[in-house]
Amino acid sequence: MSKQPSQSELERDARAEQTLQQSDQATDHPETDTDADQDPIATTIERAVERVGAVWPLYSFVTANPLSGFEDQPFHRAVADGERLFGGRGYPHPDIFRTAWERGQIDPDVLAGELEAHGIDRDPEALLEEMAAAEAARDADTESDEATEILDRVLSKWLAAFLDEGLAKWPMPNREEGFYAAWRSMVPYDGDVPGCDDSSDLPETATGALESVLDAFPEGQWTDIAEHHFAALPGWTGFIKQRVDDDTDPWQSTYPITLREYLAVRLTLAELLDAPIEPSSDDERGADAGDESEGEDETPPLSDRWLTAWEKSYRERLLEQLDGSVTDPADAGESSRPAAQLVFCIDTRSEIIRRHIEGQGRYETHGYAGFFGVPMRYRGYDATAAVDACPPIVDPEHRVVDRPDDEETATKRDRWTGLARATRKHFKRLKANVVAAFPFVEGGGAAYGSAMAARTLAPSAIASLENAVEDRIPSQHEFCSPVLDYDDHDHSHADHDLPQGMTLEEKVEYAQNAFALMGWTEFARLVVFTGHASETTNNPFDSSLDCGACAGNPGGPNARVLAEICNNPDVQAELRERGFQIPDDTVFLAGEHNTTTDEIDLFDDAVPESHREDLEQLRADLERAQADAAAERLESMTDETDVDPQEAVAEVERKAADWAETRPEWGLAGNASFVIGPRELTDDESLDGRAFLHSYDWTTDPEGEALEAIMTGPLVVTQWINNQYYFATVDNGVYGSGSKITQNPLGNVGVVQGNGGDLMTGLPLQSLQCSDDEPYHQPLRLTAVIHAPRERVTDILRHHEDVKRLVDNGWVGDLTVIDPERDNEAFHYRGDLEWTSQSQTAMAARDQGQGPVSTAAQD
């Protein structure tokens, strides 16, 4: 089932009506940033907000690099600027390096070579102590400005009120007039803001307010001032930035806000609260205070050398695990037809279940981006809103809706879901109503208390009860099909900017792209496109555990769409004309992998009776694979070893149902590498759920077009994911969201720490750490390994400056090519389209007196 924002249907209906009424008004809103092309204020805002990354609503969690605005700079310089602007640490704490060093995760020979290459000949222990002292000095060199703290608190209060998406029962008045106008009309009633007793005391427009403040400063300072104030609350700024850029957001259409208005309110409040307008000199200090590299902008700090050594140590261990004998994937492995082929998202959690499925028999597994190449806006059968089921770097091109094939089953589901919805709505109104709230608590307290006790003390029993109820409600895929026939005139839903369905040519292209990118030349009797979703209770970050390729939504709908496309006889006929010889007995179906429990639900409505025996065998093998994978996952979350597989299934199901569970699963914690190549490279090795795996066969891609699509799409997105986990680990208070214990969901859009403040932008501590002082996620930048001719990769980098910049600037920590045309020699990217072979690296190490590079250290 697709994830939706938690607004009530009444609020949705009201909002839709207001959208129609306000669309013209919003379009002509006098304070939009496009009103004046290149006027000084517009130019100032455009430049000043570049460094603040976009932030998506929590119900559609999109992973992003929090320093994405700095990707045009080398990594070490960017994190120094990030510290100056946001106050966040850019490298792991020295204690983290010490732990990795003591556990052998940093190879001594690799570290020695890295230090020697940069003229550092001190003992590692002395270096760790030196970094720890510098870190202590950094932590001590922090001063807070009371007036600025008050400004942040007051502004956050107003932003929370204005940007609320249906949670508040008493919404802020006048929001349809825009943020500045609504704030101006209400601020005289705010006791926290002195000196403003009448709205007429304030400028009538946001532009006027900005001019009244900025005119006191030279125009050359405006950008620095605006950047400083945008960076003061990067969560709220990033959220506004994203909402302004999303021209399909109905909340933005109805209740418009712009960066110009936000800045106008902040600077006006700063004057009223006597807070500083200009950034202080303290904001100019760089990272790694006390380091020997301080003040040398082009010289990476000492911590960068330790990080690089850690990453190279991981790379060497990873390369040892890869099968260096694979040259032509078509000739590798068994030649017999597989019993089934299963396509999973490249998500790191897929690596574990894929291994255990392959261990059950003649099964092939493949990796492909989890939206399965279909950029769509999807609306489930009884969903209250549509969602963009594609990565944020891809615009949806089709509107896909689910419609029932069986009206009787649909009526049965409607009856159950309608009853449940009406009950929830009734209780919600009773709890929120000022008059009824207290009598409701008195009358319903005993029942609620019993339910809470049962959910707390016996979550497994509650889970069994919920499963029994769900079994009586037909699943959507059992009676609905996605409507894929092209109809540009169907406006039965609000997404008028997109056509419903797709043309035959578009269907063929999506199927062809999928097969070409994965390098498929043969097809099993059953081909399963397997999306993924998570199951968790009482978790504001639940969408962060769903499919990132589907913008924080489950991937099952995309899998169903591609399966429906591939089963189309007209599509298959055209594919055969294009060289894809799909056997007549091949059946495509969809499934969804529950990454919390490792259960795989098969949507078998398209499977004929002739394939039922194959299907039942697959189901039985998937159950066994689930048990083994669940045991492996459980061992990674506890200190237990040799966990019984069947007991593991029961335990992971309990964790999914337990509302007190802070960590139902690890998500993508631990991610460290992205392997692009045939499954034969990795199929005999356990990569511990740390690798993104994208299927690719260089022999079926003579022009390099498939590899180009992978490097410009999935590689960029996995870099986002990797950097979000990296920064949330190295400084969770700034780039993460702190502990779940003290979080509060706010306005259906995000969380704050305590009772207010900035919108937190990243992952919570519990998603990254085993305990307060024990990280689970190893903060390493992404290691990318590509099985393809080196010249092909070089050519793609040459023609895509944005990808080349990510690698050259160190946002992808390491890029290695395993060249099948050079006997699978490994080549490491040096920057500026230059490479060094593994043999040259080993020779250089010997020349420096290190001996061969050691790969004995284990995680």
Side-chain angles (χ1 to χ4, degrees):
M1 183 180 296
S2 65
K3 189 179 307 299
Q4 307 297 338
S6 57
Q7 294 88 346
S8 70
E9 287 73 22
L10 290 177
E11 290 162 339
R12 287 279 186 184
D13 294 343
R15 190 181 75 192
E17 292 175 9
Q18 289 171 325
T19 300
L20 294 175
Q21 296 169 4
Q22 300 293 336
S23 58
D24 291 339
Q25 179 180 347
T27 301
D28 299 328
H29 192 254
E31 301 304 336
T32 57
D33 292 336
T34 58
D35 286 338
D37 298 335
Q38 304 307 317
D39 75 87
I41 290 178
T43 302
T44 293
I45 291 173
E46 182 179 356
R47 291 174 178 172
V49 82
E50 284 181 351
R51 301 304 192 187
V52 181
V55 176
W56 277 259
L58 195 58
Y59 55 73
S60 186
F61 192 91
V62 173
T63 53
N65 179 3
L67 294 186
S68 59
F70 296 87
E71 288 177 350
D72 60 334
Q73 299 181 20
F75 184 83
H76 71 277
R77 191 189 308 160
V79 297
D81 285 347
E83 179 174 359
R84 172 187 61 80
L85 199 59
F86 306 123
R89 180 188 295 112
Y91 289 99
H93 192 281
D95 289 346
I96 303 300
F97 285 131
R98 180 181 295 278
T99 299
W101 171 253
E102 292 174 349
R103 291 180 176 176
Q105 294 166 354
I106 301 177
D107 187 289
D109 291 338
V110 173
L111 178 63
E114 190 65 27
L115 295 175
E116 183 176 343
H118 291 81
I120 304 171
D121 59 1
R122 281 163 287 170
D123 180 73
E125 185 64 34
L127 293 175
L128 287 170
E129 292 177 358
E130 179 181 333
M131 288 193 295
E135 190 70 24
R138 173 194 181 275
D139 292 340
D141 185 25
T142 57
E143 295 182 6
S144 60
D145 177 77
E146 184 178 357
T148 299
E149 289 181 354
I150 295 173
L151 169 61
D152 291 344
R153 176 175 57 81
V154 172
L155 180 57
S156 296
K157 175 183 64 178
W158 283 104
L159 290 168
F162 185 88
L163 293 170
D164 173 80
E165 295 190 2
L167 187 65
K169 288 304 175 183
W170 290 355
M172 178 179 175
N174 306 323
R175 288 197 295 167
E176 65 280 354
E177 297 177 11
F179 181 53
Y180 181 80
W183 171 81
R184 179 175 178 268
S185 68
M186 299 298 296
V187 71
Y189 306 101
D190 187 349
D192 292 330
V193 182
C196 182
D197 299 325
D198 194 300
S199 296
S200 61
D201 296 337
L202 302 173
E204 291 188 7
T205 67
T207 299
L210 286 171
E211 290 172 345
S212 70
V213 177
L214 292 176
D215 280 350
F217 302 91
E219 192 172 317
Q221 289 184 245
W222 288 9
T223 298
D224 289 339
I225 290 172
E227 182 184 67
H228 168 70
H229 285 278
F230 281 140
L233 296 173
W236 285 116
T237 301
F239 181 77
I240 296 168
K241 182 179 180 180
Q242 185 276 331
R243 202 169 99 160
V244 169
D245 289 342
D246 185 359
D247 55 9
T248 67
D249 190 326
W251 287 101
Q252 177 66 7
S253 299
T254 309
Y255 307 123
I257 184 172
T258 66
L259 292 165
R260 182 188 296 249
E261 291 178 301
Y262 168 57
L263 186 60
V265 171
R266 181 173 179 92
L267 293 183
T268 304
L269 279 172
E271 284 203 327
L272 292 171
L273 296 168
D274 199 25
I277 302 295
E278 298 176 274
S280 68
S281 58
D282 289 341
D283 293 324
E284 299 303 320
R285 66 182 176 87
D288 282 317
D291 199 316
E292 77 278 4
S293 63
E294 184 179 3
E296 299 179 17
D297 194 38
E298 297 305 318
T299 304
L302 180 57
S303 48
D304 193 273
R305 306 277 59 83
W306 277 79
L307 177 62
T308 301
W310 193 357
E311 292 164 344
K312 286 184 176 180
S313 301
Y314 170 78
R315 179 193 69 190
E316 295 308 314
R317 291 193 294 273
L318 175 65
L319 293 179
E320 272 202 340
Q321 291 182 281
L322 303 185
D323 187 346
S325 66
V326 178
T327 302
D328 184 349
D331 297 333
E334 298 181 8
S335 59
S336 59
R337 189 182 186 190
Q341 293 162 306
L342 297 95
V343 183
F344 287 85
C345 181
I346 61 175
D347 187 289
T348 56
R349 291 167 291 183
S350 300
E351 188 268 330
I352 297 175
I353 191 67
R354 286 175 62 179
R355 271 190 283 113
H356 291 290
I357 291 173
E358 291 165 348
Q360 301 302 317
R362 291 187 302 104
Y363 294 118
E364 258 183 25
T365 70
H366 299 263
Y368 189 45
F371 76 115
F372 296 101
V374 183
M376 67 182 193
R377 182 168 299 148
Y378 169 73
R379 186 179 184 123
Y381 166 66
D382 52 5
T384 56
V387 296
D388 288 351
C390 54
I393 61 173
V394 176
D395 293 326
E397 297 181 13
H398 313 280
R399 175 165 55 88
V400 175
V401 299
D402 266 343
R403 290 186 180 160
D405 302 316
D406 183 348
E407 292 296 339
E408 182 178 345
T409 305
T411 301
K412 179 181 178 182
R413 178 184 170 94
D414 290 345
R415 185 165 55 248
W416 278 97
T417 57
L419 177 62
R421 186 180 296 119
T423 302
R424 286 195 300 267
K425 186 182 298 183
H426 176 67
F427 282 117
K428 184 177 180 180
R429 286 176 176 172
L430 287 176
K431 289 188 290 183
N433 187 284
V434 175
V435 176
F438 291 103
F440 172 70
V441 172
E442 293 290 337
Y448 264 80
S450 299
M452 290 171 63
R455 184 171 287 280
T456 303
L457 300 175
S460 297
I462 295 296
S464 299
L465 179 61
E466 290 175 344
N467 290 336
V469 173
E470 288 177 3
D471 288 342
R472 301 195 62 178
I473 303 176
S475 298
Q476 192 162 286
H477 67 84
E478 294 179 302
F479 68 95
C480 283
S481 297
V483 179
L484 300 184
D485 291 337
Y486 180 75
D487 185 355
D488 196 23
H489 302 289
D490 184 346
H491 297 311
S492 57
H493 295 281
D495 306 314
H496 295 171
D497 57 319
L498 296 175
Q500 177 185 286
M502 54 198 74
T503 64
L504 176 62
E505 178 63 24
E506 289 169 333
K507 294 176 184 177
V508 173
E509 286 295 323
Y510 292 135
Q512 176 178 325
N513 289 343
F515 301 147
L517 260 66
M518 292 186 289
W520 277 20
T521 56
E522 66 173 355
F523 298 83
R525 279 170 58 84
L526 290 177
V527 177
V528 186
F529 299 115
T530 316
H532 66 95
S534 179
E535 181 182 357
T536 179
T537 304
N538 189 33
N539 184 5
F541 287 88
D542 54 355
S543 66
S544 72
L545 299 174
D546 281 341
C547 183
C550 299
N553 295 288
N558 295 72
R560 291 175 62 216
V561 167
L562 187 56
E564 184 103 351
I565 288 172
C566 292
N567 279 325
N568 186 312
D570 295 332
V571 171
Q572 292 191 9
E574 182 60 31
L575 287 172
R576 292 185 183 105
E577 289 291 324
R578 301 186 184 191
F580 295 94
Q581 299 306 315
I582 302 174
D584 292 335
D585 66 346
T586 292
V587 175
F588 298 89
L589 67 154
E592 193 167 78
H593 171 211
N594 182 331
T595 55
T596 311
T597 66
D598 276 311
E599 179 184 10
I600 296 178
D601 185 13
L602 297 178
F603 307 155
D604 60 352
D605 48 294
V607 178
E609 191 61 35
S610 58
H611 289 59
R612 285 292 156 180
E613 185 175 339
D614 304 73
L615 183 66
E616 293 310 311
Q617 183 62 52
L618 176 59
R619 285 190 195 280
D621 289 337
L622 290 179
E623 286 186 11
R624 286 189 286 270
Q626 175 196 8
D628 293 339
E632 180 177 333
R633 287 191 194 278
L634 203 58
E635 289 178 7
S636 73
M637 302 182 74
T638 65
D639 294 329
E640 299 180 45
T641 57
D642 298 325
V643 176
D644 179 81
Q646 295 308 317
E647 293 179 1
V649 172
E651 176 60 12
V652 294
E653 289 177 348
R654 180 203 65 77
K655 292 174 74 69
D658 189 349
W659 72 340
E661 179 59 62
T662 58
R663 190 185 301 113
E665 61 160 284
W666 274 120
L668 288 89
N671 75 83
S673 56
F674 184 25
V675 180
I676 303 170
R679 179 57 173 153
E680 289 77 14
L681 276 178
T682 58
D683 60 356
D684 292 328
E685 297 289 340
S686 169
L687 302 182
D688 298 320
R690 303 188 66 187
F692 300 93
L693 300 178
H694 199 302
S695 297
Y696 174 70
D697 181 350
W698 70 279
T699 63
T700 65
D701 183 34
E703 303 300 322
E705 294 177 352
L707 182 59
E708 182 178 28
I710 297 170
M711 290 180 64
T712 57
L715 176 60
V716 174
V717 174
T718 53
Q719 176 267 145
W720 287 357
I721 295 170
N722 172 265
N723 274 301
Q724 182 175 63
Y725 273 82
Y726 172 90
F727 284 109
T729 302
V730 300
D731 196 330
N732 194 259
V734 175
Y735 299 124
S737 58
S739 174
K740 287 183 177 181
I741 297 171
T742 50
Q743 285 176 356
N744 277 311
L746 190 71
N748 279 336
V749 298
V751 298
V752 295
Q753 276 292 334
N755 62 357
D758 195 17
L759 206 62
M760 306 304 287
T761 61
L763 297 155
L765 278 171
Q766 286 81 0
S767 294
L768 304 162
Q769 303 220 166
C770 302
S771 62
D772 290 344
D773 56 358
E774 177 69 18
Y776 173 81
H777 179 73
Q778 296 178 26
L780 305 175
R781 291 169 295 182
L782 189 70
T783 293
V785 178
I786 303 175
H787 185 259
R790 187 186 66 192
E791 287 78 8
R792 185 175 300 181
V793 177
T794 303
D795 192 54
I796 293 170
L797 292 174
R798 181 180 293 113
H799 289 92
H800 291 276
E801 180 60 33
D802 54 339
V803 180
K804 178 177 177 292
R805 185 173 62 242
L806 289 175
V807 184
D808 282 346
N809 286 342
W811 296 96
V812 173
D814 182 86
L815 173 62
T816 295
V817 164
I818 298 177
D819 193 335
E821 294 185 331
R822 292 180 171 85
D823 197 26
N824 281 340
E825 174 76 25
F827 291 87
H828 306 309
Y829 186 73
R830 295 173 51 193
D832 199 24
L833 304 180
E834 297 293 330
W835 303 83
T836 301
S837 73
Q838 179 86 339
S839 58
Q840 289 174 319
T841 302
M843 186 179 300
R846 287 194 297 271
D847 291 343
Q848 292 174 359
Q850 297 175 42
V853 175
S854 171
T855 56
Q858 299 296 319
D859 283 333

